Amino acid sequence: MTPVSTPAPAAPRVNPLQRIWLREIGMERLWLRPAPAASRPAAEPQVPVSKPVFPVSAPAAEAPAVEVAARPAAPATPAAEPVPGRPGIPASILNRKGPPPPPPPKVVAEAEAPAPIPVAEAIRNSTLDEMREQVVSCEACGLCKGRRNAVFGHGGQPTRWLVVGEAPGEQEDRQGQPFVGRSGQLLDAMLSAVSMSRERDVFITNVIKCRPPGNRNPKPEEIAACSPYLMRQIALLKPERILVLGRFAAQTLLGTDATIGSLRGRIHQLKTDEGVQIPVVVSYHPAYLLRSPGEKARAWQDLKLAARMG
Ligand code: URA
């Protein structure tokens, strides 16, 4: 009988010192929790490094790679008073009086504590409805701690236009729906000006599915953790075209750091992993248009460009 293949016994009682010891030697979870039924990948989620979120076929010269930083490693346990030859075990713990720590359980390396499944792998075969559930319970980055609701997206199918914004704001976080605040009202008006409706023709979503605290800019590791959802939404919805709103979403989706002024007014092509080319039109974010109404004329040109392509 080995600890790997048999059901784990009830968790042994350990005192706090023993618990610290178990944690130091990396055995706390193994010792105190039943072994997992099936082994999961031991590695942290792998995220692409130095790679555009999406490959963009054209114009290549204007689409340099966005550096997407890998998720930082989990902070190490503070290494107080390390003991020579016993890395990671503080002398203050080794020298303390008390019951001797329990011998480390004999386990094989594959029985390490389960690591979270990377988002891209977890959703590889998900339907839209399944992925909605996965987004609602997602804990792939720290934004899950501050959200009221994750915002998956909303809209009609078949999808003529996929509209991609940045991230939920306060109202979206409250209601769990995209673009329902003042920006959303303006977006609805813009869409209806080209005879598009969010219920019928358009699916609206964001690059980031949970609200960043105080509406701050999303961090690279949050983008890397969340972008597989958008990629899978695009693959499943197969929109005729994508309207990207604002600098952040445009740069993320097109894998560029070009200015929005240089990205708008022309048609980009997004090549999906399945090899499908989807035309992309970039425009200003409605929140920016509310602050700078003089730019609405340019946004109108962008909408007409997107509508003309059909
Ligand atoms: N701004 C966005 O980018 N997305 C929303 O859903 C709301 C406001």
Side-chain angles (χ1 to χ4, degrees), residues 165-169 172 178-179 206 285:
E166 177 174 330
E172 291 77 19
F179 280 99
N206 290 298
H285 194 286

Side-chain angles (χ1 to χ4, degrees), residues 151 165-169 172 177-181 183-184 204-206 245 285 287:
V151 180
E166 177 174 330
E172 291 77 19
Q177 294 293 334
F179 280 99
V180 288
S183 295
I204 303 176
T205 191
N206 290 298
L245 300 177
H285 194 286

Side-chain angles (χ1 to χ4, degrees), residues 1 16 21 28 37 59 86 100 106 117 140 145 148 156 164 167 176 201 207 230-231 236 277 295-296 301 307:
M1 194 167 88
W21 167 266
E28 181 189 33
R86 303 290 298 275
K106 286 185 187 146
I117 300 175
K145 296 195 183 88
R148 289 187 178 92
V164 181
D201 323 281
V207 174
L230 179 58
M231 285 191 267
L236 288 168
Q277 297 232 118
E295 301 287 16
K296 282 182 183 171
Q301 297 300 323

